[in-house]
Amino acid sequence: MKHILGSIFLISLFLTGCYETHDELMQDRKGAGDISFPTISAINSSFFDSFDFDNAFVEFVVAEDTLGNTASIIVEKTFKGVTTEIGTFEDFPATVTVTAANAVSDIEGIAVSDLEVGDVFTFQVLTVSKSGIVSRSNAGVLNASVACKSSIAGTYTTVASGMSTDDGPTENPVTDYAYEVTLTDTGVNGVYEISDFSAGLFTLWYDIYGLSGDYPGTLQDVCNDVSIINTTGPFGSPISGTGSFDPDTGIITISGGAVSWGDNWTITMTPK
């Protein structure tokens, strides 16, 4: 049996921070009634779809976390170090919709055609109290990336072929092993939980060491390029994998392996 410690890296599609103004630091002198921190909620779209910039948009609702104290809400946008104002709202909650064209219209030298997958727009919400105090909070920040809309969740029949580097498995190598996996949407565009990262091969090989059932992992789809991320096998090795999604057939093909010792496999996933 293999006992090797691995490491996993973390991804995040939403990054938040805490921002303080001088007025916030002085809130104890002004009184709690003067402060109203902004929030972002009801996110309808959190990315700009690079496959359809003409119809791409980001949409969310801005509000105050207390009632009756806010005079206005300001929405700012930052892209590649340039900060501009989206607009000021005086009726809350307010729905903010920003198209891809709107997002770059006030940035000199940037057009929609210049946007690339991975670019990030940061939207920051500020509230202005009736006494003039400007407040920010980490609940009022949204990072919206340029990405491709992904919808590959579902159940797949799989065929896997691979080889273990361990001396123990009796079925090794394996060819065209039939199994079934599900991809479950995590709520983050393009990121899914796969019910078993090896499509049953690990249990087939290593039931001699007590393995049974499925071993889930995380799969990411970025504009039809598919990869296994943030996944560790039952013996501690990081699990990697790269492949592709065919939008015409719905078939996913991915080649993966256990990084620490070299077990490898190729899986073809066909939607049921």
Side-chain angles (χ1 to χ4, degrees), residues 47-257:
F47 68 98
F48 294 105
D49 185 356
S50 65
F51 280 175
D52 188 12
F53 278 136
D54 288 344
N55 297 303
F57 68 95
V58 168
E59 186 174 85
F60 52 89
V61 172
V62 296
E64 55 176 344
D65 65 354
T66 59
L67 298 176
N69 184 48
T70 300
S72 62
I73 290 180
I74 301 170
V75 180
E76 292 181 341
K77 174 203 70 203
T78 300
F79 180 69
K80 294 187 175 180
V82 177
T83 299
T84 58
E85 188 174 307
I86 295 293
T88 299
F89 302 84
E90 296 182 350
D91 295 317
F92 332 112
T95 299
V96 180
T97 304
V98 183
T99 67
N102 294 151
V104 299
S105 62
D106 56 357
I107 303 177
E108 185 176 356
I110 300 292
V112 170
S113 59
D114 298 319
L115 296 178
E116 299 178 346
V117 172
D119 284 343
V120 177
F121 291 83
T122 298
F123 295 94
Q124 171 92 52
V125 181
L126 301 78
T127 57
V128 181
S129 73
K130 291 178 179 179
S131 60
I133 295 177
V134 177
S135 305
R136 307 171 185 249
S137 78
N138 60 359
V141 180
L142 170 66
N143 280 353
S145 62
V146 177
C148 304
K149 185 175 182 179
S150 175
S151 58
I152 60 174
T155 302
Y156 292 78
T157 56
T158 61
V159 176
S161 299
M163 184 173 67
S164 168
T165 56
D166 194 276
D167 294 333
T170 56
E171 296 187 55
N172 186 36
V174 176
T175 301
D176 294 340
Y177 182 67
Y179 207 68
E180 184 173 290
V181 302
T182 59
L183 296 183
T184 303
D185 197 325
T186 65
V188 177
N189 178 60
V191 180
Y192 304 85
E193 180 182 90
I194 183 170
S195 58
D196 191 286
F197 62 79
S198 69
L201 290 184
F202 253 59
T203 298
L204 177 68
W205 285 330
Y206 302 126
D207 59 350
I208 55 175
Y209 300 132
L211 297 194
S212 63
D214 289 342
Y215 291 89
T218 302
L219 184 147
Q220 184 176 37
D221 169 31
V222 179
C223 301
N224 300 331
D225 289 330
V226 176
S227 58
I228 296 291
I229 62 170
N230 200 26
T231 299
T232 302
F235 300 130
S237 171
I239 303 299
S240 67
T242 57
S244 62
F245 168 71
D246 184 338
D248 293 328
T249 63
I251 293 174
I252 299 170
T253 303
I254 188 163
S255 296

